Amino acid sequence: MFKIYSSSAGSGKTYTLTKEYLKLALSSESETYFRSILAVTFTNAAANEMKERIILMLRTFSSPEGKTHFMLRDIVTELYPGLENDPTLFAETIELYAQRAKKIFRKILHRYSDFSVMTIDKFTQRLVSSFTDELGIPFAFETILDSDQ
């Protein structure tokens, strides 16, 4: 699945991207599914903020009071429309997602290098590095920006 969000500063992009990331990670039964998710932003600050928010939300969801957090409730409501009409099933699903959040939180901490939230520049750098032989570029290439052009 490929999604693009574009909006002005201060409009809630980081919140939306964090929620979308968490929806993907939590809806999978695999606690390492986060390794299959790539989130790309424009600035290092935005990438770092998003990583911090994802970690914070996973930690929060896995705490006893996290089951009442509005973002977790939003995630479950968006993934299962109408489920909030069945309080028992809604509570069971919240509990399931809280348990998944705890497992994913631990896995991300242990495999932080597999947690892919990065800038478009870093993504391009990694992509080019993967194909140095095919592109005829030396393995230890260096990227230089020429701002005059």
Side-chain angles (χ1 to χ4, degrees), residues 21 31-38 108 111 114-116:
Y21 186 100
E31 59 196 42
T32 59
Y33 185 72
F34 71 91
R35 297 172 61 206
S36 302
I37 304 170
L38 170 64
I108 286 177
R111 301 189 65 150
D114 293 337
F115 181 35
S116 297

Side-chain angles (χ1 to χ4, degrees), residues 39-52 117-119:
V40 179
T41 65
F42 283 101
T43 66
N44 284 321
N48 290 335
E49 182 181 354
M50 191 172 160
K51 275 186 162 184
E52 287 173 11
V117 178
M118 64 186 70
T119 64

Side-chain angles (χ1 to χ4, degrees), residues 77-112:
T77 301
E78 288 178 25
L79 289 172
Y80 305 101
L83 190 65
E84 67 275 9
N85 297 329
D86 183 342
T88 304
L89 193 53
F90 188 73
E92 288 172 3
T93 306
I94 291 283
E95 179 63 37
L96 172 69
Y97 276 56
Q99 292 303 315
R100 285 183 183 173
K102 188 174 192 172
K103 291 176 183 175
I104 294 167
F105 176 67
R106 287 184 179 154
K107 284 290 182 186
I108 286 177
L109 291 182
H110 290 287
R111 301 189 65 150
Y112 196 75

